[in-house]
Structures are given as C-alpha cells and as structure tokens.
C-alpha cells in the first residue's frame, strides 16, 4: 500500500526541525487561533511511550505486546516574552487562576509540515483534550525569567491537514 503522506524535499535531503510545530488554541473552540508553542525553546521532541512488554513462553519464543502510545512533549526554557499569546494563555490559566481542570483540557495541534500528500497538503493531528502544565517558572539570578511546560496529548486524535489561510492564520481541515 502506498503511503498517503511522504517526506517532502529532494531525495536524500534532511528535513529541517522547524517543519514540526505544536500549536495551542488561544482562541475558542468555535474560532480557533493556533499559536506556536516553544518560541525560544532550543530542543523539544514528541515522545511516544508504548508501554512495551516482552515475555518468553515455555518454548523459548519471545512475544512482544504494546499499547497505544501515551504521547508527550516538554518545552523547557521558555523565555517569558511580553505579548506572547501562548505564555499569556498558560500563565493566566496555571498561575493566575490555577485552573487545573482547564489546563487538563487544552486544544493542541501538531503540524507535520514535512509530511505532505500528493496535493502538497501537510499532515496534522489535533488533540482537543490535552494537558498543558506549567512545571517550573523562574531561573537563575541575573538571567531572564523562564518556564518549563509539559504536554500530554489526550482525547480523541483527529487527523487532517493544515495550511496558511488568506489572512495568514493556520487552518486545520479534519479528514472526512
């Protein structure tokens, strides 16, 4: 079976890290505003934990089991920047209002801009019930204030495509 999405670029060319971006909805469910997370973060990866387990039966054969993965991502060293929609949203939710229930129910979008279909549409996955938790806020004396954010993608995974709209805003179109 042929893959629906393939890695874009010239054959043998490495993919740039900036082609995988996580966005948080800083708008509403009815009118999402997708804001990129990790503006000042140097390293962040999506981690997949399959809770893999292997057992050897009485005949000496090894059998492996795995679960649907828990998908997480950490954004460490976010410099607090005035006017940053993501950090304003997260700090208001976790520090000012301490709304843990809201922090456990965030709308996130992972844009895999390096994976495109035959029409050039980029693959994306939307997670409407994800946790976005501020785990540290501070830093060393004389340095800039920074925070660490831990994300666990949750809820029903919705796949689709993303593109920049006429206004420049990111638009997600769910698969049908």
């Amino acid at each position: 079976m042929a893959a629906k999405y393939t890695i874009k670029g010239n054959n043998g060319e490495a993919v740039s890290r900036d082609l995988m971006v996580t966005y948080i909805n800083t708008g509403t469910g009815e009118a999402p505003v997708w804001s990129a997370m990790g503006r000042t973060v140097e390293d962040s990866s999506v981690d997949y934990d399959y809770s893999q387990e292997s057992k050897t039966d009485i005949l000496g054969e090894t059998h492996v089991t795995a679960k649907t993965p828990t998908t997480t991502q950490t954004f460490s060293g976010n410099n607090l920047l005035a006017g940053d929609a993501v950090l304003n949203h997260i700090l208001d939710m976790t520090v000012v209002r301490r709304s843990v229930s809201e922090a456990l129910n965030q709308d996130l979008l992972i844009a895999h801009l390096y994976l495109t279909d035959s029409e050039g549409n980029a693959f994306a996955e939307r997670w409407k019930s994800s946790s976005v938790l501020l785990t540290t806020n501070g830093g060393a004396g004389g340095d800039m204030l920074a925070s660490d954010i831990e994300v666990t993608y949750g809820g029903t995974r919705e796949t689709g495509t993303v593109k920049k709209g006429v206004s420049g805003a990111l638009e997600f179109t769910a698969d049908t």
Side-chain angles (χ1 to χ4, degrees), residues 28-109:
T28 65
E30 299 77 37
V33 175
W34 297 111
S35 301
M37 296 183 71
R39 283 182 54 195
T40 62
V41 173
E42 293 179 17
D43 184 7
S44 184
S45 299
V46 176
D47 297 315
Y48 303 89
D49 179 2
Y50 292 90
S51 298
Q52 184 175 323
E53 185 178 317
S54 58
K55 296 180 182 177
T56 304
D57 66 19
I58 61 172
L59 301 175
E61 292 184 35
T62 302
H63 304 274
V64 179
T65 60
K67 297 179 181 180
T68 300
T70 299
T71 310
T72 59
Q73 188 171 9
T74 302
F75 296 91
S76 297
N78 291 278
N79 290 332
L80 274 59
L81 303 172
D84 185 303
V86 171
L87 292 171
N88 281 332
H89 176 74
I90 293 170
L91 290 168
D92 177 63
M93 177 175 57
T94 60
V95 174
V96 177
R97 295 184 289 112
R98 287 219 167 171
S99 180
V100 175
S101 60
E102 185 180 350
L104 296 175
N105 195 33
Q106 291 297 296
D107 189 2
L108 298 178
L109 181 71

Side-chain angles (χ1 to χ4, degrees), residues 4-5 109-111 113 115-117 120-125 158-163 170-175:
K4 180 176 179 180
Y5 295 94
L109 181 71
I110 305 173
L113 304 172
L115 286 175
T116 57
D117 63 15
N121 298 312
F123 174 71
E125 49 189 318
E158 183 177 28
T159 60
T161 59
V162 290
K163 67 179 180 179
L170 192 69
E171 294 177 1
F172 173 74
T173 303
D175 289 335

